[in-house]
Every structure is written in structure tokens, then in C-alpha cells.
Amino acid sequence: MSNGDIFVGEVIGTAILILFGAGVVAAVVLNYSKAKDAGWVVIAFGWGFGVMAGAYTAAPLSGGHLNPAVTLGIAIDTGEWDKVHIYVAGQMVGAMLGAVLCWLVYYAQFEANAEEDISQPTLGVFSTIPAIRRPVANLVTEIIATMGLVLPILAFGLTEGLGESGTAILIVSFLVVGIGLSLGGPTGYAINPARDLGPRIVHALLPIPRKGTSDWGYAWVPVVGPLIGGALSGLVFNAAF
């Protein structure tokens, strides 16, 4: 895979991931959305389908990492570091692009906050917010949840035929749904630094009425936690398998 293919693939795939993922959160939480109050299960499946659509789209070009934690875990396991920066750059650009697209789709709902004097902070559409703000506990949650993603992804590569058949991406998509349902309650399961940081930057820049804070004091947790989880996954996989 060329550097250009990797960058383009990760941009497109991650943009689709965030469009679906942020989109399902917007659908569930924003006022005047037809899916208002549809619930956590809908959000978990929306993110899973976002992974599926994004990864299948990106796979022919880049392999469909869509996540710096996955890229880091693979690099630690294989020892191949020369293209890591290209993957991460594409993932960040794609995450920001997907967040902008979500804003455009739900533009009228975001505008309703100002037009009808509705007080509704919007950061949760774009990035994660902990249910209980305890940074150490939140960090541990993100580390463990990310290991629940990256370690199985590395192990799937040992199963002959999964990669060739394309089944691995489908399984990873359901894995993301499972992580959301089982481990997402404490922090909203970022499990992906680009997924959280890129949209958080976009949230800070976009002219969203009554958008509230972008919560930069917490922003390090969903970046550092998944990176530690991805690194530990690569180390454990390399040692155990």
C-alpha cells in the first residue's frame, strides 16, 4: 500500500465512522430529532455500523485501521513503524471531516437550541464525557476497554481465512457494539484517540449555538487511555502469541 493510498483510505474510512457514530448520538440526544431518546442500545449499534461501513470502505486502500490505538498495537507487535504517522494523520483528518458532516446533517437541530432558547450542551454528540468525573478511574476504563478492542483485533489475524473473506471487519463491528454495551457506561467508550480528539477540535471551532464547553480539561483521558491500551495490547499479543 502506498503512502497516498493509506492516507486517503484512513481519511475516508474514519470520516464515515465518525459520520455514523456522531450521527447516531445526535439522532438520539438532540431535540426535534425523529430518533430522540431512542437509547444507549441504538447508540452502540450505530457506532458498530459506523466501524463496519468505514472499515470496509477503507480496507482496499489502507487496511482500515481507523484508530491510532489499533495502528499503535499493530506497530508494536510487528515492529513496523514507518507508516504509523501516515495512518494517524489520515485518521485525524477523517475524524474532523466526519464531525463536520454530522454537524451539517443535524444543522437544523443544532440551530433549534438558539431559536427556541433550549439549553442543550452539544459536546456529547462529538466527543466523550464521563458519567462520573474521576480522571484516574476514567483512564483505567479507557485502557481496559481499548484492550478489549485491540487485543482481539490482533488475535483475529491468526484465524486463517478471516482476512481474505472480509469476515474480520464484520466481527470487529460487533465487537465495538459489545464494548459499548458492556464497557461504555463509565466514559462513553472513546477507545480511539482520533475519534475523540478530532471531533472535539471541530466542536470548539464550529459556530454551534449554545454549544457549551469543549471540556479540554478532560480531553487527555480519551487520548492517553486508548494509546496505553493499544500499546499494552501489542505487548501482550507479542508475548503471548
Side-chain angles (χ1 to χ4, degrees), residues 5-88:
D5 284 347
I6 291 172
F7 182 77
V8 171
E10 292 297 297
V11 168
I12 295 173
T14 309
I16 292 172
L17 163 63
I18 300 302
L19 174 60
F20 277 48
V24 72
V25 178
V28 171
V29 305
L30 289 179
N31 292 296
Y32 305 108
S33 164
K34 289 182 178 292
K36 173 72 173 172
D37 295 327
W40 187 253
V41 174
V42 170
I43 289 175
F45 272 94
W47 276 106
F49 291 142
V51 170
M52 182 173 64
Y56 272 124
T57 303
L61 291 173
S62 65
H65 293 190
L66 313 187
N67 183 341
V70 172
T71 301
L72 178 61
I74 292 172
I76 289 175
D77 174 49
T78 63
E80 298 176 1
W81 292 89
D82 57 317
K83 296 184 184 297
V84 168
H85 65 291
I86 301 170
Y87 275 97
V88 174

Side-chain angles (χ1 to χ4, degrees), residues 192-215:
N192 180 338
R195 166 264 177 277
D196 194 275
L197 181 58
R200 195 181 297 269
I201 293 171
V202 169
H203 178 267
L205 296 175
L206 285 176
I208 303 171
R210 301 180 183 273
K211 66 182 177 181
T213 177
S214 297
D215 197 7

Side-chain angles (χ1 to χ4, degrees), residues 99-183:
V100 172
L101 293 174
C102 173
W103 170 65
L104 291 173
V105 170
Y106 284 93
Y107 182 84
Q109 280 71 32
F110 285 117
E111 287 293 305
N113 290 333
E115 292 173 359
E116 302 194 18
D117 196 28
I118 298 169
S119 179
Q120 186 182 25
T122 56
L123 178 61
V125 172
F126 296 89
S127 299
T128 59
I129 302 170
I132 299 174
R133 188 174 296 267
R134 293 185 180 175
V136 174
N138 302 150
L139 183 69
V140 170
T141 295
E142 287 292 335
I143 292 171
I144 294 172
T146 305
M147 291 186 72
L149 172 69
V150 179
L151 194 55
I153 286 176
L154 295 174
F156 293 158
L158 299 178
T159 303
E160 186 176 354
L162 280 183
E164 291 81 356
S165 67
T167 310
I169 292 176
L170 180 62
I171 295 173
V172 171
S173 303
F174 281 105
L175 174 62
V176 171
V177 174
I179 291 171
L181 295 176
S182 300
L183 308 176

